[in-house]
Amino acid sequence: MKACFIQEFGDISVLQVGYLDDPQPKPDEVVIELKAAALNHLDIWVRLGRPGKNLPMPHILGSDGSGIVRSVGSACAGINVGDEVVINPSLPCEKCRACRSGQQSECDSFGILGLTKHGTFAGLVSVAASRVYPKPAHMTFTEAAAFPLTFLTAWRMLMTKGKVTAGQKILIHGIGGGVAQAALQLSILAGAETIVTSSCGEKLAKARLLGAHHVISYTEQNVVEQVLRISGKNGVDVIIDAVGAKTMLSNPDMVRKGGRIVLCGVTTGATAEINLQAIYWKQIQVLGSTMGSDNEFRQMLDAITVNKLKPVIDSVYPLDEIQVATGRMEAGDQFGKLALTIG
């Protein structure tokens, strides 16, 4: 099968497109012929390598994908050859304490497709039947490939960790990214008042079209001052942060007493200062969040299907142009998801 893979860690130049053996599924797995896949920042971290983490090489990247079931293992039920499906990229062990209690993303050996197992940048992928769901009928294969990781992450951040309800004020940092845009759409769906930030006026204008109530250019405006003005000096109820180091220092100044800061990523760095006095005096909750549980995936899938939500697609590339697509993501030029056509 044709695939994008790495044989060593490094910069964009280590991304290769070639042919590898077809997957050999286990009895509880299905083989999916992929029609589309989508890029995530996780692909960058995997490609660069993580200290102390070794991967068998060659390794196929990619967490998100959609396609058609081509074979079904003997221990699988409820899935048929020919089904149009989307993949939940979470890979829990399904045996540990967390998994047994329904908190799969807190699994002791939690993995993600494309990180701990061959991913979706390929003609075929084998995944456990428990990871496969029907493709939303209102989406194309490209759209269906672009929502699972980001919308699942945003759903847990907002609904489970952030406990967002109608009328609350939500601050979302860095609206160009996929998780931020998913959070914007889901916040609006929940009836919240949304504030988004970016350095790019074009991205802020597009966020307005998506329904953002307030936009802030962090290169031209003081974000703290603007958030306090919008919130009547009280601060917002919830901050959604995938940025990390550059935003964490000012987050306590912008959240209300008893509010919540929910963090899912560190695209600007993993080490940051934070005002501890503000944390205890304002009784702020700082919450980490990674992906989501199986139940949260089903809830999210139901919500976007009923309300016919779609991920924002920035651009689509053939698999052969993976280096071009990755370069656009690393430059931060995109507004929405970068997708790949496969097959």
Side-chain angles (χ1 to χ4, degrees), residues 154-176:
W155 182 273
R156 182 174 178 85
M157 293 179 78
L158 286 164
M159 308 305 178
T160 304
K161 299 283 188 173
K163 302 186 187 303
V164 171
T165 58
Q168 291 187 330
K169 291 180 174 62
I170 313 300
L171 171 62
I172 303 168
H173 287 298
I175 196 56

Side-chain angles (χ1 to χ4, degrees), residues 28 42 62 66 90 131 142 188-189 214 236 276 309 323:
D28 65 342
L42 176 63
S66 65
S90 301
R131 304 296 95 202
T142 301
I188 294 169
L189 186 64
H214 310 276
V236 297
L276 295 177
L309 297 184
Q323 290 191 11

Side-chain angles (χ1 to χ4, degrees), residues 6-261:
I6 57 173
Q7 302 210 68
E8 60 181 324
F9 298 122
D11 60 21
I12 287 178
S13 66
V14 304
L15 293 171
Q16 300 182 46
V17 177
Y19 288 87
L20 298 176
D21 293 338
D22 291 353
Q24 301 300 313
K26 299 175 182 176
D28 65 342
E29 293 183 330
V30 301
V31 174
I32 299 168
E33 178 187 333
L34 289 155
K35 296 297 183 182
L39 278 67
N40 292 285
H41 275 89
L42 176 63
D43 305 319
I44 298 174
W45 312 136
V46 175
R47 191 197 74 225
L48 292 174
R50 301 166 74 185
K53 298 288 184 180
N54 293 315
L55 288 174
M57 297 292 180
H59 179 73
I60 301 172
L61 299 173
S63 300
D64 282 326
S66 65
I68 300 173
V69 175
R70 286 303 177 216
S71 68
V72 178
S74 59
C76 299
I79 301 176
N80 300 301
V81 171
D83 285 352
E84 296 183 354
V85 296
V86 66
I87 302 167
N88 177 352
S90 301
L91 299 178
C93 73
E94 303 189 46
K95 299 175 182 177
C96 70
R97 170 199 54 80
C99 288
R100 293 195 307 270
S101 65
Q103 293 297 328
Q104 288 82 6
S105 66
E106 297 176 13
C107 171
D108 293 339
S109 57
F110 183 76
I112 303 174
L113 201 61
L115 170 64
T116 52
K117 177 179 170 63
H118 280 319
T120 57
F121 294 175
L124 300 169
V125 66
S126 63
V127 293
S130 62
R131 304 296 95 202
V132 178
Y133 294 78
K135 179 181 79 67
H138 71 283
M139 290 187 189
T140 65
F141 279 112
T142 301
E143 291 165 341
F147 82 84
L149 189 149
T150 55
F151 270 79
L152 175 59
T153 300
W155 182 273
R156 182 174 178 85
M157 293 179 78
L158 286 164
M159 308 305 178
T160 304
K161 299 283 188 173
K163 302 186 187 303
V164 171
T165 58
Q168 291 187 330
K169 291 180 174 62
I170 313 300
L171 171 62
I172 303 168
H173 287 298
I175 196 56
V179 171
Q181 288 168 15
L184 173 58
Q185 293 187 64
L186 292 173
S187 295
I188 294 169
L189 186 64
E193 184 179 346
T194 54
I195 308 168
V196 304
T197 72
S198 177
S199 62
C200 176
E202 183 180 357
K203 291 180 181 180
L204 293 174
K206 289 180 177 178
R208 282 278 198 191
L209 294 176
L210 281 177
H213 298 93
H214 310 276
V215 300
I216 301 172
S217 170
Y218 62 75
T219 55
E220 298 178 1
Q221 298 170 288
N222 183 302
V223 177
V224 175
E225 290 180 358
Q226 292 300 312
V227 168
L228 293 179
R229 177 186 62 80
I230 293 166
S231 64
K233 298 184 180 180
N234 294 318
V236 297
D237 297 279
V238 180
I239 296 176
I240 299 298
D241 194 344
V243 176
K246 284 189 176 180
T247 50
M248 189 53 70
L249 179 60
S250 61
N251 279 340
D253 297 328
M254 297 185 288
V255 69
R256 67 165 172 81
K257 283 191 172 182
R260 295 168 291 283
I261 301 167

